[in-house]
Amino acid sequence: MSDIHGEDGGRPAPGEATSERVRGIFAGIADSYDVFNRLSSFGIDRSWRRATVRAAALKPGMRVLDICAGTGDVSFALAREGVAEEVVGTDFVPEMLDVAKRKAKRFTSETKVRFSVADAQDLPFDDASFDVVTVAFGVRNLPDRAANFAEVYRVLRPGGRYVILEFSRPPFAPYRMGYHFYLRHVIPAIGGLLTHDRPSFVYLNESILRFPGQPALAAELRAAGFSAVSWRNLTGGIVAMHTSVRG
Ligand SMILES: C[S@@+](CC[C@H](N)C(=O)[O-])C[C@H]1O[C@@H](n2cnc3c(N)ncnc32)[C@H](O)[C@@H]1O
């Protein structure tokens, strides 16, 4: 998919991820991102991230890569366990990583944590160099998910895990309708107030509505070569956690 052209060859469609659009959004909201997360999810985002850490099934000596790490909350949660040898957090927006690096100054753990700029679709790491790769609320923003799945497969050691936390599709229709109302009306209002950038939050919501449901994402992972693909719905399916293994 092109960086700047949408489905009709002109402007990107409302929820369409283009690298240019996504960079602009996250560079602009980096300083208010953590506050927005806590407010818009009523703090539940912390428990979603903790579930991601449990799914990573860390063991001593492991090297963990957290892609689309943003302001680093998943990277820190993984490192806080003090089990893995190292957690590397990457993101392609330096402004988001600047916030993570400021937080890292106040963070101590047995596990080393470092952050570096990298595009999740073109990872600057050797083949088979990580035991676990995690991504929270990142794959939805990638124009080319298949490229990301191929890259994660490449950098994982055989038997390594890919854990994906992402907004998803609540299976219970009335709940889903309420959630979609919240997405369309409440989220842009909160985001607009905090950042004065309401259009970015309209994009974020539309990107959630466009994102494949649980079985479709699982099928994409299988097509990329991953095995033992499964998912777990969190908060009634507002979020799903897919886990898969490099064969
Ligand atoms: C919604 S934030 C999630 C941040 C963090 N994982 C969390 O759970 O709070 C999505 C992040 O993905 C990053 N991102 C989007 N596209 C990317 C790409 N192609 N490569 C690397 N990072 C990307 C954005 O810059 C942003 O920081």
Side-chain angles (χ1 to χ4, degrees):
M1 207 182 287
S2 146
D3 264 3
I4 51 170
H5 299 297
E7 286 165 336
D8 62 356
R11 287 168 60 80
E16 183 183 351
T18 67
S19 295
E20 188 185 44
R21 169 184 254 171
V22 170
R23 271 184 215 276
I25 288 175
F26 287 102
I29 66 175
D31 286 327
S32 22
Y33 177 81
D34 285 349
V35 178
F36 169 75
N37 264 346
R38 298 294 106 76
L39 287 180
S40 61
S41 73
F42 307 103
I44 302 171
D45 60 311
R46 288 183 201 273
S47 72
W48 295 335
R49 289 182 177 82
R50 278 198 299 273
T52 307
V53 173
R54 284 196 297 275
L58 300 175
K59 293 197 179 64
M62 280 185 164
R63 291 193 76 225
V64 184
L65 174 64
D66 180 35
I67 56 173
C68 301
T71 58
D73 280 355
V74 171
S75 310
F76 292 121
L78 288 158
R80 201 167 285 122
E81 300 291 291
V83 175
E85 182 182 318
E86 182 179 34
V87 175
V88 180
T90 60
D91 199 285
F92 80 160
V93 173
E95 290 84 349
M96 291 290 276
L97 289 182
D98 287 345
V99 177
K101 287 174 186 168
R102 285 203 294 274
K103 286 154 76 172
K105 289 189 183 142
R106 305 188 300 270
F107 182 80
T108 50
S109 160
E110 293 290 301
T111 301
K112 283 178 275 177
V113 192
R114 66 183 168 92
F115 293 99
S116 60
V117 174
D119 190 320
Q121 299 158 137
D122 184 15
L123 294 169
F125 301 110
D126 291 341
D127 295 0
S129 50
F130 290 95
D131 302 282
V132 177
V133 177
T134 57
V135 59
F137 309 114
V139 284
R140 193 184 73 250
N141 294 301
L142 302 177
D144 190 349
R145 264 195 307 281
N148 167 256
F149 291 176
E151 276 295 83
V152 170
Y153 194 93
R154 180 183 68 74
V155 302
L156 273 174
R157 297 196 174 115
R161 282 174 167 239
Y162 189 21
V163 180
I164 300 177
L165 184 73
E166 191 50 89
F167 289 108
S168 199
R169 196 178 155 78
F172 184 53
Y175 181 63
R176 187 167 65 239
M177 283 164 65
Y179 168 55
H180 287 176
F181 179 87
Y182 179 76
L183 275 182
R184 287 197 197 280
H185 300 288
V186 182
I187 292 284
I190 299 178
L193 268 178
L194 279 176
T195 64
H196 307 290
D197 180 14
R198 193 181 164 97
S200 289
F201 291 88
V202 172
Y203 156 77
L204 290 173
N205 297 338
E206 291 295 331
S207 71
I208 293 172
L209 297 170
R210 288 166 66 101
F211 192 66
Q214 295 85 330
L217 188 65
E220 287 185 19
L221 285 162
R222 280 188 210 100
F226 288 94
S227 57
V229 180
S230 64
W231 73 84
R232 200 182 131 206
N233 286 333
L234 305 173
T235 319
I238 285 179
V239 161
M241 193 169 52
H242 285 69
T243 52
S244 56
V245 172
R246 186 211 151 139

